Amino acid sequence: MRSEHARRAILQATATLLAERGYDHLTIEGIAAAAGVGKQTIYRWWSSKGDIIAECLLEGMVVPGRGELPDTGDIRADLTRWLRDLADMLARDEGELLLRSLIAAAAEHVEVGRRLRDVLAGPESLSGRLERATGTVPNLPRGAPVEEIAEALIGALLLRALSRSPLQPADIDRLLRAVLG
C-alpha cells in the first residue's frame, strides 16, 4: 500500500529536480534522496523516471497552473492573456529548461507525451475552455474545431519556443486572428 506522504514527497522532489536540473540529469537516486525514501520505494510504484514525470504532469506539479485558461467570457482576451503568460514563462531560462525536459521525457515515454497533451490541450484545459466558448457572442461559432484550434495554438507556441524566437504580443494577436478569424 502506498504512503500518500511518501508519494507526494517523491512527486514534489521529481518536479523540483526536473525544474532545477532538467530531464537528462534527473535520476531515481536523486529523487529518492530528495524525497527521503529508498529507491526500492520508487521502483515499487513507478517503473521509470518518465512514469513519475507523467504522474507529476497529471497532478499539475510540472506545468504551472496546469495550463488553465481564465474564463472572463471573452475567449480572445482570455487566450491572449494565457498565451502571453506561457510565452513569458518559456522565455525564462527555467521555462526553456522545463520545455526541453518535457520534450525529452515525452520522446522517451509515450505516457508523458499523452499526459502533456492532456494538460495543455485536453478537455480539462485549452480544448475544454474553447468548447465552453462555442456558440456565445463574441466568441466561437457552434461547431468550431476546438481540438484543431487548441493544437494550432500550442503548436505555434512550442515551435517558437523550440526555435528560441519567443512570441511577442503582436505575434500573439496575429496568431489569434489567423486561428480564430
Side-chain angles (χ1 to χ4, degrees), residues 70-148:
D71 190 349
T72 65
D74 181 338
I75 191 64
R76 188 177 300 272
D78 294 345
L79 286 171
T80 299
R81 183 172 142 214
W82 180 74
L83 286 168
R84 285 181 181 171
D85 289 348
L86 284 176
D88 288 346
M89 181 192 77
L90 292 172
R92 295 191 303 268
D93 289 343
E94 61 272 12
E96 184 181 332
L97 177 61
L98 174 62
L99 176 66
R100 284 195 321 261
S101 295
L102 289 174
I103 289 170
E108 191 172 314
H109 299 278
V110 171
E111 189 61 22
V112 173
R114 286 186 186 130
R115 290 192 181 178
L116 182 58
R117 183 193 184 287
D118 289 345
V119 164
L120 292 174
E124 295 302 315
S125 62
L126 179 54
S127 293
R129 175 64 184 91
L130 289 167
E131 187 65 43
R132 289 189 304 278
T134 60
T136 62
V137 177
N139 294 303
L140 300 170
R142 291 206 187 284
V146 296
E147 290 291 323
E148 290 78 7

